[in-house]
Amino acid sequence: MNMKKLIPLITLALSTACSTTWQPLFNGKDLTGWEETDYAGRGKVSVKNGELHLDGGEILTGVTWKDKETLPKTNYEIVYEAKKIDGSDFFALITFPVGDKYASLVTGGWGGAVTGISSINSMDASENDTTLYVKYEPNIWYKFRVRVTPKMITVWLDPHERLILRKDTAAGVIAEYAKAAGVTTAKAEATLRKLNPEFDDLMKPGKNLIVPGEAQVIEADIHEKVVSMRAGEIELSAPLGFATFQTSGVIRNVRLRRLSEPSKRRGYSYGR
């Protein structure tokens, strides 16, 4: 039997060289192209309402892409949306190829806030220069975009956190978002207050607001550095996989595109 004929269409779509078209990796109906990762004590994995649900397990729960040969090794982007349901650790970790190796984007590890790349020069996401702290609120959809090129791993997040400075005022922050998003101040205020129920209390120096729009949060130089996965059971997520740690998460709209040439675009934009 020719096994190649059994490869799903979404897998075949990935083998088109130098395509800049986004290709769906998750059909929202079942686990076509994926399989449950064989973690000990894993939670329930299910597909419903166009979403992939990963229930919290004893330790890890996740899914892994089955066909390694169809994945690019570099010069590509992958984007997905995820939200935390409950738990206090990572809810949408993604493992992805980096050349002949693999790395993971940790989303809220080590107690729920640590975000970064594991691992670079044997230092994991809590130890290297990619470490940042994001307070992921339950039941809010976050969009992650990961770009891999021979010299860089770049990550964007939407919505993102905006640090409140001493000079900031509520009116000024609302006007700033309204201008960037191209909406009225009334609509901007309604959006910000919906995402931040404690908006007025958060308008204090040193606190963070959740703001819609894509922001670059990680730019890791990997040139002449050793990229690898954190040792342990998480290595079962290679070549491409999603995982949660004692936390329930939901994932949707997983897409990948190859880059015909490394992109140099930076910064952030609203409403992407």
Side-chain angles (χ1 to χ4, degrees), residues 87-143:
S88 59
D89 217 283
F90 60 75
F91 64 103
L93 175 147
I94 183 171
T95 294
F96 52 91
V98 182
D100 292 325
K101 303 294 184 179
Y102 305 98
S104 299
L105 169 64
V106 179
T107 57
W110 286 272
V114 172
T115 299
I117 304 297
S118 286
S119 296
I120 299 175
N121 285 347
S122 299
M123 293 185 288
D124 63 34
S126 68
E127 303 171 312
N128 60 44
D129 291 340
T130 69
T131 306
L132 66 147
Y133 300 91
V134 179
K135 183 182 179 182
Y136 295 101
E137 298 291 347
N139 298 309
I140 289 180
W141 284 106
Y142 291 88
K143 184 174 77 172

Side-chain angles (χ1 to χ4, degrees), residues 178-240:
K179 181 179 180 180
V183 299
T184 65
T185 54
K187 185 173 182 179
E189 181 174 3
T191 299
L192 291 176
R193 287 187 179 278
K194 182 177 180 180
L195 280 174
N196 302 272
E198 299 178 355
F199 179 86
D200 294 318
D201 183 60
L202 293 173
M203 283 301 307
K204 296 177 181 178
K207 294 197 172 184
N208 289 290
L209 279 181
I210 301 174
V211 179
E214 188 177 65
Q216 180 181 296
V217 293
I218 294 174
E219 188 170 42
D221 182 355
I222 58 172
H223 183 55
E224 297 183 347
K225 295 181 180 178
V226 178
V227 176
S228 61
M229 294 186 68
R230 195 168 190 260
E233 208 175 19
I234 193 64
E235 293 175 293
L236 295 174
S237 288
L240 176 68

Side-chain angles (χ1 to χ4, degrees), residues 36-96:
E36 290 188 36
T37 312
D38 191 22
Y39 295 131
R42 63 184 181 273
K44 181 182 178 181
V45 174
S46 60
V47 177
K48 49 188 175 183
N49 302 320
E51 303 163 347
L52 174 64
H53 290 247
L54 304 176
D55 292 351
E58 293 181 16
I59 303 179
L60 294 165
T61 302
V63 296
T64 303
W65 183 255
K66 293 193 290 187
D67 197 342
K68 173 182 176 180
E69 300 306 318
T70 60
L71 295 172
K73 295 183 177 181
T74 191
N75 288 334
Y76 71 90
E77 289 184 341
I78 188 165
V79 63
Y80 64 100
E81 298 173 29
K83 68 178 177 180
K84 177 189 289 188
I85 302 301
D86 57 49
S88 59
D89 217 283
F90 60 75
F91 64 103
L93 175 147
I94 183 171
T95 294
F96 52 91

